Amino acid sequence: MNAQTANEQKLRAIFASSLDIPEDQVQDSLAYNSIEQWDSIAHMALVAAIDEGFGIMRDTDDVIALSSFGKAKEILKKYGVEFR
Amino acid sequence: MKLLEGKIAFVTGASRGIGREIAAVFARHGAQVVAHGRDEAALASLCDELEAETGRRPEVLVYDVRQTEEIKRAFQHIHARYRGLDILVNNAGIQRDALLGFVQPPLVEETMQVNLHAPIYHMQLAARLMARRGGGSIINIGSIFGTEGEAGQVVYAASKAALAGATKSAAKELAPSNIRVNAIAPGFIATEMTARLTEEQVAGRLANIRMGRAGTPADVAGVALFLASPLSSYVTGQVIGVDGGMRL
C-alpha cells in the first residue's frame, strides 16, 4: 500500500471513529451537519483526532474550513499529508 | 501522589502576582508548567526558584497576548513539545483606571484585547489540545469588579464581565469533551498592582471586606489548584469569588 492510500484509509478510519459511523459511509461528499452524528460536538472531537492522528496542529482558518471529508484531504495536503 | 502529577499547565501572566503564585503552586503539585509573561528576568527568577524546589524547570514563553499570531505560535510549540495540554490559566490582564468621562478608544481597545480577546483565543486553541487528552481544565481569572462593578473601572469591569460570560458559554460547549471551564473572581488581593494605592484607598477597601484583610496571591492560587485538579471534577461554568466576603 502506498503512502497516499494509507493516509486516506487512516483519515477515513478517524472520521468513522470520531463520528461513530461505518467506514463505507465516509465519502468525499460527507459534510458537516449532513448527518446527525456530525454535529458541533463531534466536530471538535474530529478536529482533535485528525490533528493527533497526523501529528499536526492546524491553523484556526483550516479548522473552520473543515466542512467535508473531501475538504479535509485538501486541507491536510497543505500540511504535507499526501492523498491520491 | 501530587494533585497535578504528569499534567501540563500553561499559565499566562506568570511573571508576578497571582499568575506567578499559581505557576508556583501548580509546579509544587507536580505539574510541568509553561509560564508565559513579558518580563524575561522575572520569569527566569521564577524558574530558578521552582527548579531548585521541585527539580523540574518550568518552560518560559515570552510574547504579547494581543498578537494572535504569537498566541498561535505558543500553542504550536506546546503541541510540538508536549503533544497536548491539561490546564490553561488565563491570568494575563491589565487594569487601567478611568472614570467614564475620561474613557478613550485606545484604553477600551487595549483592555479588551488583553482581558477578553486573548483569553478567548487561548481557550480556543487550548480546547483543541485538551480534546486530544480526553479533557482538561480552563481557568479564567476575572474580578469582583466584573460581577459587582466599581467607579473608575467601567472598561476593566466590562472586560471581566465579558470574560465571565465567555467562561460560562465555553463551559457549555466544552463539557461534552470533558473540558471544564471556570473563572475565579478575586476581590482585593495584595500584589504589586495594588501596592500603588494610597493608605486611605487601602483602608476604604478593607472596610468592605468582612474578613478584615486583603487577600493574597496564595488565596487565589489555592482555588486555582482546586479547579485544575480532579478535586473539582464535576465543577464547570462557575465564577468563584475569592474575596473574603467583600461587598462593593
Side-chain angles (χ1 to χ4, degrees):
Chain A
M1 186 189 304
N2 60 28
Q4 290 96 327
T5 305
N7 284 334
E8 176 137 358
Q9 283 194 1
K10 183 176 177 180
L11 184 62
R12 179 169 282 109
I14 289 170
F15 264 74
S17 167
S18 300
L19 303 180
D20 197 20
I21 57 175
E23 286 194 21
D24 61 11
Q25 201 179 329
V26 182
Q27 304 297 329
D28 283 359
S29 58
L30 176 66
Y32 175 61
N33 269 338
S34 66
I35 56 171
E36 185 186 344
Q37 292 92 331
W38 193 353
D39 59 10
S40 61
I41 292 164
H43 188 72
M44 176 144 184
L46 177 62
V47 165
I50 293 172
D51 281 3
E52 180 72 14
F54 290 96
I56 58 172
M57 185 169 185
R58 281 168 294 154
D59 287 349
T60 302
D61 288 347
D62 289 330
V63 170
I64 293 167
L66 177 66
S67 54
S68 69
F69 181 69
K71 188 73 181 175
K73 289 191 287 185
E74 193 180 304
I75 291 167
L76 283 170
K77 284 178 187 170
K78 288 170 53 180
Y79 294 84
V81 181
E82 295 179 356
F83 293 95
R84 280 177 296 173
Chain B
M1 179 77 174
K2 292 176 176 173
L3 279 172
L4 304 181
E5 193 73 54
K7 301 295 184 187
I8 308 298
F10 183 23
V11 182
T12 69
S15 308
R16 54 180 58 81
I18 291 171
R20 187 183 202 281
E21 186 64 23
I22 289 173
V25 167
F26 283 9
R28 289 180 193 123
H29 282 83
Q32 170 61 55
V33 170
V34 179
H36 156 271
R38 302 287 299 275
D39 184 340
E40 277 189 70
L43 290 167
S45 162
L46 170 69
C47 292
D48 290 345
E49 185 184 308
L50 292 175
E51 186 176 20
E53 193 180 332
T54 68
R56 196 176 36 251
R57 189 171 183 83
E59 182 169 13
V60 167
L61 293 181
V62 177
Y63 63 90
D64 181 348
V65 297
R66 294 171 300 179
Q67 305 298 325
T68 53
E69 284 301 317
E70 293 188 29
I71 297 172
K72 195 188 298 178
R73 273 197 290 277
F75 279 92
Q76 283 168 339
H77 172 78
I78 291 170
H79 166 252
R81 178 89 190 262
Y82 304 105
R83 314 303 299 176
L85 182 67
D86 302 292
I87 300 155
L88 167 69
V89 181
N90 273 315
N91 170 72
I94 56 169
Q95 182 176 8
R96 309 254 191 272
D97 302 352
L99 292 165
L100 182 59
F102 295 91
V103 169
Q104 293 187 308
L107 170 73
V108 177
E109 283 156 22
E110 187 183 18
T111 302
M112 289 300 175
Q113 278 181 341
V114 175
N115 293 1
L116 178 63
H117 301 182
I120 288 173
Y121 296 131
H122 280 79
M123 283 198 287
Q124 181 187 56
L125 295 169
R128 285 172 54 192
L129 294 183
M130 290 174 176
R132 299 166 177 219
R133 311 264 269 210
S137 174
I138 296 173
I139 302 160
N140 294 321
I141 304 300
S143 167
I144 191 172
F145 293 163
T147 48
E148 302 293 324
E150 177 68 333
Q153 302 294 337
V154 169
V155 179
Y156 177 76
S159 72
K160 293 299 188 180
L163 184 58
T167 299
K168 288 171 180 283
S169 300
K172 289 180 178 174
E173 276 189 35
L174 299 177
S177 302
N178 197 34
I179 298 170
R180 300 181 295 105
V181 188
N182 294 286
I184 296 174
F188 182 53
I189 307 297
T191 64
E192 284 177 30
M193 274 173 86
T194 57
R196 64 186 181 213
L197 297 175
T198 65
E199 277 186 30
E200 193 178 41
Q201 286 174 314
V202 171
R205 295 274 164 84
L206 292 178
N208 292 329
I209 300 172
R210 298 199 179 182
M211 291 186 74
R213 68 168 176 88
T216 66
D219 290 323
V220 180
V223 178
L225 175 64
F226 165 71
L227 290 174
S229 79
L231 294 175
S232 59
S233 57
Y234 202 51
V235 179
T236 196
Q238 304 302 309
V239 179
I240 300 178
V242 180
D243 57 24
M246 188 177 195
R247 289 296 168 262
L248 298 172

